[in-house]
Amino acid sequence: MKLSILLSVVVIAAASAVPRQQRRFPDDFIFGTATASYQIEGAWDEDGKGENIWDYNTHRDPTIIDDQSNGDVSGDSYHNYKRDVEMMRELGLDCYRFSLSWPRILPSGFPNYINQAGVDFYNKYIDEMLKYNIQPIVTLYHWDLPQKLQDLGGFANPLFEEWFEDYARVAYSLFGDRVKLWITFNEPMQICYQGYGSAAKVPQVNATGIGEYLCAKHLVMGHARAYHAYNNDFKPSQGGQCGFTINLQWYMPDTDSDEDARAVDLLNQATWALYTDPIYLPEGGFPKELSNIVAKKSAEQGFPRSRLLSFTEEERVYVQGTYDFLGLNHYSGNIVSATKYKTPQAVPSMYDDIDVGWTVDETWLKGQAVWNYLVPNSLYGCLTLLSQRYNNPDVYVTESGWSNAPDASLIDEDRVTYYATIMEQMLDAIDEGVKLKGYTAWSLMDNFEWMRGYTERFGLYAVDFSSPEKTRTPRLSAFFYKEVLRTRTAVTADCRPEDWTMNIDEGPMQLLVLLSLAVLGSNAAYVKQERRFPDDFLFGCATASYQIEGAWNEDGKGENIWDHMTHNKPDVIKDQSNGDIADDTYHNYKRDVEMMRELGLDAYRFSLSWSRILPTGFSNQINQAGVDFYNNYIDEMLKYNIKPMITLYHWDLPQKLQELGGFTNPLISQWFEDYARVAFSSFGDRVKHWITFNEPKEICYQGYGWTTKAPQLNATGIGEYLCAKYLVVAHAKAYHAYNNDFKPSQGGECGITINVNYYPPMTDSEEDKAASELYNQAQWAIYSDPIFSEQGGFPKELTERVAAKSKEQGYPRSRLPEFTEEEIALVKGASDFYGINHYTAAFVSASDYKGEYPVPGLLDDADVGTFAPDEWPQSASSWLKQAPRSLYNTLTDVHNRYSSPVIYVTENGWSSTGGLEDDDRIRYYRAALDDALDVLDEGVQLKGYMAWSLMDNFEWMEGYTERFGLYEVDYESAERTRTARKSALVYKHIIANRVVDADYKPENLNISIDEGH
């Protein structure tokens, strides 16, 4: 449906001189808005796009950005481009300036491989604009250099000039039939000084006093080569224009002294004329005074030659005059002094070379950005200065805008004041004879503002970055700008429209899922002999990376949250141990496979260590040693026909991601998808069973809503719910990545594993039945309903309960975040199978057996009591009792609730304190596998069973005090010797015969590899 936004206009107080009514912009003056690829597109690694320097640096060290965000998704214009064009149409734009992502078209930076998906995107974007007579203005480079080229030195390498020309030629040939205005570079000073001469922009080379000047020359030469390529080889047939955009702030002398006037001139030379004089001055070359100063200072500092490279005569001639127009980005200004307002500068550096100071007038209207002021007559001053300096070239104002805070009102009066003032100044410049041809406001919409992340907003349209759709909503300034375009005049303070309306699509919300209570099974345990498991039923064992691998810091592995916690807080582990060595599978993997062969396993479920493959958690840096380890492990299994079943995440998040909020940060979904893609591409040729997450409740409730698992966030009542949503979305993204981009060629399947214990009502009362359902929802259906239910979304009763309690507790909204309609659709059905970890059961009461629960918190929200009878056999784990028929009841419940999904039991096991004669474990396994045969008889699509665990391991907060292994591990031995328990022999017999024989007793505890394994 359409959402109409009605805004009453406020009085616009123009900061310029007395407004002149009835002055009109020329009929051929083009109005537009501007954006840049990295700032709005998102889809940073989709459809073959290569990595750029912002991808690389924001992933490698997110802390360089104020809010530790990035442009991985941003405004998601890659998927929302039609909405962007719709906004252009709403505003009535004549043109739209945007930039191409170099690595989206040429993933490596080089033209040997053109990414057709990237080309298709820009073709669709351009064609969508032209459909509505919106003229595209394309910037070839707006700061997002392919990382591969940066690895080769980027703008500091003279070869950059030809790399850029090659890229430009590809762009001209692909889009030049429709694009008639081209800009080579956006804001060279920000590229060169901020990126190479300091750390203010990526790539943060920070080669002060050298990098900025190398970049300056190579960039200008790159521009000239791209211009000549267009002018000679494309313009004759395509008929367009090519120019260059600089950032020019208005610098005013502090006094009327010659010294301050010279200081202004030096600052102009260093910050923009360094790049424009070679192109636009008749004599060409770098500014003379700046060149002399740098040469002199270089000699004083012991350099053998000037840090500012000069042009050869051939180069000077080649560069001079390479323009059809000049693009001007303008925002603010400064007061400049030769003696005052100076701050310490690096030596050598550009600012040390010119040795001037600057400040602002605090009475100027200030934006959110620290440098963004409304300076009187600043744009007028810049336009007339350029006109005088460069013999009145054609000029386009290619950026000009105002910043406000993320939480600022849509009634952005300051921005309206800024634009009203700018319009008057442009008309003044036109009246003075400046050949001003167009204006593109920065920006169409909020975007990723470089080092400031999302802490500054420049958009005419506000973007809700927390919504999956990245919803765009017009601000008051959008209506103001629309009126300027409609009237072709400077809309001033006496313009008072009654109301302005824009229409925005908004999708309807859907009701969340309704759940029904499962039928209880019998409490009687019984054995049916001679029933066989199907021949294609997979028997296996399960383990997890942190619990068995060891080698915690070997061969490039990064730190994970368990490394961090156990090293910094060893007392949280029962025996103050850790997984630094554990079973040392990293070095003993061949022995592990030998044990699999001894048991005769069909499959083996294990997890990847995210930080062993991607040490920082981000996919920009792949640790080859980690990949090699898993390749060796997988290949060793396959050598003996053992199917690897891989879990992508079994609780060991890279610590760097946890420092960004881990699973409470919605960006975890894209981080996880990135990691999943690396895994799929590295191992998917051989791995055909993938599991995204192991036991979401343990991740979310125990890790984020409590302290019983790392990272011990303990954000009770909030952390577990944030985690729940973002984990489920992350699962869905990884699933779709596999389903869309890997499954067609690899042919596997992808699912999720959820810990589903059985929680029947204590009595037949309606209250206890409702309590049982609510507790099941809180424990596991919160994670599986969004994926497996027909309606999708979180469970209805739990959603209503949390919302009601949140309101009672004074929260402005529910602590359980809702899924958007798009998210519901993304998540629903995103699984090929349901992995079930099952261990135990408990009765649920609406009134009895309640504990003292944190408020707010998941258990307080559910507000039920649980009880496990004393007569149920007790394991070494306080939470684990053998409950009658619990696996049967769990499997039938999931089968009935979710319309018979394919199921694997991905964990099931029993703990002891040690010893090889483990009859209680044998009793547990036989009962569980009899339950499995029962559900197979009833039509449940159970496809496999993975016993927990192949061997003893580090049991999380319990350390090594509890043992789950079919094989005992001697932690006192350097080799971590593995020895088969009696249960290993029984499990081997079950696998070999495909039956559960209650009378089978091993003759001894010797185990060997049978023929064929």
Side-chain angles (χ1 to χ4, degrees), residues 155 184-197 210-221 223-224 244-248 267-281 284-287 290 308 311 319-323 326 350-351 386 389-390:
F155 285 84
T184 54
F185 291 100
N186 181 79
E187 298 186 351
M189 192 273 268
Q190 281 67 20
I191 298 168
C192 293
Y193 170 69
Q194 294 189 5
Y196 288 80
I210 298 171
E212 59 263 55
Y213 296 135
L214 291 174
C215 173
K217 179 176 179 182
H218 304 150
L219 181 150
V220 169
M221 289 297 299
H223 157 79
F244 186 74
T245 281
I246 60 166
N247 181 43
L248 196 163
L267 191 56
N268 281 321
Q269 289 182 38
T271 57
W272 58 270
L274 176 65
Y275 311 100
T276 51
D277 275 11
I279 301 168
Y280 293 89
L281 274 183
F286 287 133
L290 179 65
L308 176 56
F311 291 101
V319 170
Q320 197 281 323
T322 53
Y323 69 92
L326 174 57
M350 182 190 79
Y351 283 121
L386 290 174
R389 187 179 185 102
Y390 297 132

Side-chain angles (χ1 to χ4, degrees), residues 367-651:
Q368 175 72 5
V370 295
W371 48 266
N372 191 193
Y373 289 85
L374 178 52
V375 180
N377 288 314
S378 61
L379 180 56
Y380 171 83
C382 290
L383 288 169
T384 54
L385 174 60
L386 290 174
S387 176
Q388 293 161 9
R389 187 179 185 102
Y390 297 132
N391 195 27
N392 201 15
D394 286 352
V395 177
Y396 292 87
V397 175
T398 43
E399 287 183 26
S400 177
W402 188 257
S403 59
N404 57 18
D407 57 354
S409 168
L410 291 174
I411 309 299
D412 52 343
E413 297 176 15
D414 285 357
R415 183 175 286 112
V416 170
T417 298
Y418 180 90
Y419 280 131
T421 305
I422 291 300
M423 297 303 148
E424 291 287 353
Q425 291 182 26
M426 288 194 296
L427 284 170
D428 290 343
I430 291 171
D431 287 346
E432 293 291 329
V434 174
K435 295 166 69 176
L436 183 59
K437 299 297 184 180
Y439 174 86
T440 55
W442 186 271
S443 176
L444 175 64
M445 59 190 150
D446 295 337
N447 49 56
F448 177 80
E449 278 298 329
W450 309 112
M451 309 304 276
R452 306 288 79 81
Y454 300 99
T455 65
E456 299 171 1
R457 306 295 172 90
F458 277 86
L460 294 168
Y461 283 72
V463 176
D464 180 0
F465 292 105
S466 66
S467 74
E469 301 85 357
K470 307 299 184 245
T471 305
R472 288 96 151 113
T473 305
R475 292 189 169 99
L476 174 63
S477 56
F479 296 95
F480 171 86
Y481 194 51
K482 180 186 180 88
E483 184 69 4
V484 170
L485 273 60
R486 186 186 70 81
T487 63
R488 318 294 288 183
T489 65
V491 178
T492 55
D494 59 355
C495 177
R496 300 170 183 265
E498 293 181 2
D499 65 320
W500 293 337
T501 302
M502 286 189 185
N503 295 317
I504 301 174
D505 291 338
E506 181 180 67
M509 293 296 293
Q510 296 286 341
L511 293 177
L512 296 177
V513 62
L514 296 174
L515 300 173
S516 59
L517 192 62
V519 177
L520 299 181
S522 165
N523 284 332
Y526 56 94
V527 175
K528 298 178 181 177
Q529 294 296 329
E530 303 306 319
R531 295 184 302 161
R532 289 180 52 83
F533 286 94
D535 290 339
D536 61 354
F537 189 91
L538 293 181
F539 279 107
C541 288
T543 60
S545 54
Y546 184 76
Q547 295 182 271
I548 67 166
E549 282 181 8
W552 80 274
N553 64 348
E554 289 189 38
D555 295 340
K557 176 187 167 292
E559 184 183 41
N560 66 46
I561 55 176
W562 286 88
D563 299 326
H564 186 81
M565 183 184 74
T566 58
H567 296 163
N568 288 279
K569 298 187 294 182
D571 290 346
V572 303
I573 306 301
K574 188 171 184 178
D575 57 3
Q576 299 187 26
S577 62
N578 55 49
D580 287 3
I581 301 175
D583 298 355
D584 201 20
T585 286
Y586 191 74
H587 301 105
N588 290 327
Y589 71 89
K590 288 190 175 182
R591 171 59 182 137
D592 293 355
V593 175
E594 186 178 54
M595 294 188 294
M596 302 173 206
R597 297 169 63 200
E598 290 169 354
L599 293 171
L601 300 188
D602 304 311
Y604 178 63
R605 177 186 172 225
F606 66 102
S607 74
L608 304 179
S609 166
W610 188 339
S611 57
R612 194 178 296 285
I613 297 170
L614 304 178
T616 66
F618 296 107
S619 59
N620 60 296
Q621 179 190 348
I622 298 176
N623 177 32
Q624 190 59 47
V627 174
D628 291 345
F629 164 66
Y630 291 116
N631 276 327
N632 293 336
Y633 207 180
I634 291 165
D635 291 345
E636 188 72 8
M637 293 177 216
L638 291 173
K639 186 190 301 184
Y640 301 104
N641 299 313
I642 299 165
K643 293 181 173 63
M645 178 180 284
I646 285 186
T647 305
L648 289 171
Y649 184 79
H650 197 132
W651 307 358

